[in-house]
Amino acid sequence: MSNDTPALRTWTPSRRQMLAAFAAVAAGGLGACGGTDDAPPPNQIAEGTAPDYYPPAYADIIAAAKNEGGELTIYSNTDQENWAPIFRDFQKKYPWVKKINANNLDSDEVFQRVLAEQATGSSPADLLVSNAAQAWAEYVAGADRLLAYQSPELPKLPPFATLMPNVYAMSTDPMTIAYNTSLMPKAPTGLKSLADIVAADPGKFNNKITTRDVKGAFGFTVSYTYTQANPAAWNSLETLLPLARPETSSGTQTEKILAGEYLAGFFISGAPAYPVVDKSGGLFQVTFLDDGTVVLPRGIGIAPKAPHSNTAKLFVDFVLSAEGQRAVAEGGLTSYRDSVQRAKGLHTYQEIVEKVGEKNVVLVKYALVSDGDEKAFVDRWNGLLAR
């Protein structure tokens, strides 16, 4: 994720270099978070047709999408590397979609930008994608913020696939502990384990631990959710936070851990971390937390006045489908549909459950936290941080 405000980037099938680079990344191993040695077979895409369990009227949506100009615009906080196989396979399924415009905004900025544009009466956004649960909850609290749409995929999915009305889970990404293996040879297994390692040699870890800034929606959501599920975690945080430095970007955190500026970080999103593991030659590693792994769904919804609303519906249904969830996993995000089989380079919700147990999976809910509770948490957290 980025804190900059880059211009929209356009995906077209001619960007073969990106696909080649992604394929090289996907060929790497998964390290501490598991996986298998078998490369996954190619994703099988049924071109131009919907699954047989869709209603007959779905043909009207496909026909209408064909008349929308073959374009789609997405406001998101999702990296291009994560999007690559999703866009590739969506365009295989619906080849008349020639251009997908996607950006990589900060978690909160997705909503700030579309609200600013809607205030002027016009926005090019068709889809909103973000894993900032609190920001989503604040956004949908306003009237007419999303197009009402119920995907025909929902009966095939677990209940948590519907995060809020008209907001669906595109992926279920785990928060990990990431660490530099050359500087931290003893691997942590959870937050308490990390705190015990740090407490044994605090001087070594002073200003060498990173976590997300809880002033941002992403950092607040994952940290607050963890402590709500595991109040005893404050004992570990009292050891870790006085030695830690907050960052506003997972990308920055992974870069600095790999470079050795940080020895370790906690609540690091698996989505940007997995490719770093694959490319680091064993120097950068991640692990799920055995005392509670926060899983943060990545929400997707259709803008209320989407210029390409039917194409947007096709896209939502695709990412929730068996074909789409397979592409989601290939892009480094974590799929949650049972039909997606674990394989080299593919990550699934089932993998997390197998590693830490269902009782240690902490699924983030898309719900507003009161101002008072938010302030109390942020004050306590930042009061412990090294500043």
Side-chain angles (χ1 to χ4, degrees):
M1 287 171 286
S2 168
N3 292 315
D4 301 324
T5 309
L8 285 173
R9 301 170 185 172
T10 298
W11 169 277
T12 66
S14 63
R15 294 180 70 174
R16 293 173 184 164
Q17 288 183 336
M18 177 177 285
L19 287 177
F22 176 80
V25 170
L30 299 181
C33 279
T36 71
D37 293 331
D38 297 327
N43 198 5
Q44 299 299 314
I45 304 298
E47 182 178 325
T49 62
D52 58 12
Y53 52 85
Y54 280 29
Y58 199 80
D60 297 335
I61 296 178
I62 296 176
K66 288 182 177 180
N67 295 321
E68 289 182 336
E71 188 172 349
L72 195 65
T73 296
I74 303 173
Y75 285 7
S76 86
N77 69 336
T78 305
D79 289 338
Q80 298 297 308
E81 190 169 56
N82 300 134
W83 278 129
I86 301 172
F87 293 166
R88 178 200 67 202
D89 289 350
F90 179 69
Q91 290 178 306
K92 282 182 182 178
K93 190 167 188 67
Y94 302 113
W96 64 84
V97 182
K98 300 297 184 182
K99 185 166 65 171
I100 301 177
N101 305 305
N103 56 22
N104 182 10
L105 302 172
D106 180 74
S107 305
D108 307 81
E109 191 179 2
V110 169
F111 306 101
Q112 294 166 357
R113 177 178 284 198
V114 75
L115 284 172
E117 292 172 346
Q118 288 171 356
T120 68
S122 178
S123 172
D126 294 304
L127 290 158
L128 307 179
V129 177
S130 175
N131 55 6
Q134 183 78 350
W136 262 117
E138 292 172 353
Y139 176 77
V140 301
D144 302 321
R145 296 281 178 81
L146 290 171
L147 184 72
Y149 182 63
Q150 184 163 332
S151 172
E153 290 290 346
L154 294 181
K156 303 288 185 179
L157 299 171
F160 65 73
T162 301
L163 301 171
M164 306 183 78
N166 306 309
V167 182
Y168 304 117
M170 188 175 90
S171 64
T172 49
D173 304 316
M175 301 301 109
T176 72
I177 291 176
Y179 57 99
N180 186 304
T181 59
S182 69
L183 301 175
M184 196 170 170
K186 184 176 181 180
T189 61
L191 198 70
K192 184 179 184 304
S193 168
L194 178 62
D196 289 344
I197 293 169
V198 169
D201 191 358
K204 176 181 177 179
F205 290 93
N206 190 31
N207 287 322
K208 295 292 186 178
I209 301 290
T210 184
T211 190
R212 282 296 284 267
D213 193 334
V214 296
K215 291 182 179 179
F218 178 93
F220 170 78
T221 296
V222 299
S223 305
Y224 178 82
T225 299
Y226 186 85
T227 57
Q228 287 294 108
N230 183 11
W234 283 108
N235 295 328
S236 298
L237 291 169
E238 287 171 359
T239 297
L240 295 169
L241 289 176
L243 307 177
R245 289 158 51 189
E247 298 283 357
T248 59
S249 163
S250 294
T252 300
Q253 290 176 307
T254 58
E255 290 170 6
K256 291 184 177 181
I257 293 170
L258 184 62
E261 183 173 337
Y262 294 125
L263 277 65
F266 56 96
F267 304 156
I268 309 293
S269 175
Y274 288 143
V276 182
V277 172
D278 294 340
K279 292 183 287 189
S280 72
L283 185 61
F284 179 94
Q285 196 53 272
V286 297
T287 186
F288 303 140
L289 283 69
D290 59 8
D291 45 9
T293 293
V294 174
V295 172
L296 180 58
R298 187 174 301 263
I300 183 169
I302 303 173
K305 297 181 179 179
H308 313 98
S309 60
N310 290 289
T311 309
K313 291 175 183 178
L314 297 185
F315 190 85
V316 168
D317 296 334
F318 174 75
V319 297
L320 298 180
S321 72
E323 296 169 332
Q325 283 289 294
R326 167 61 168 72
V328 163
E330 188 177 338
L333 303 178
T334 299
S335 70
Y336 61 95
R337 191 160 175 145
D338 289 341
S339 60
V340 179
Q341 299 299 311
R342 284 180 57 193
K344 191 173 184 179
L346 303 184
H347 297 279
T348 68
Y349 178 82
Q350 293 74 23
E351 172 190 358
I352 305 167
V353 172
E354 289 173 12
K355 283 288 184 179
V356 302
E358 189 78 58
K359 65 183 179 63
N360 288 318
V361 174
V362 183
L363 194 67
V364 172
K365 296 180 179 179
Y366 274 45
L368 279 174
V369 177
S370 71
D371 291 343
D373 287 347
E374 180 177 356
K375 183 179 186 304
F377 173 83
V378 171
D379 287 349
R380 183 175 183 182
W381 184 279
N382 285 340
L384 292 171
L385 268 176
R387 294 280 189 181

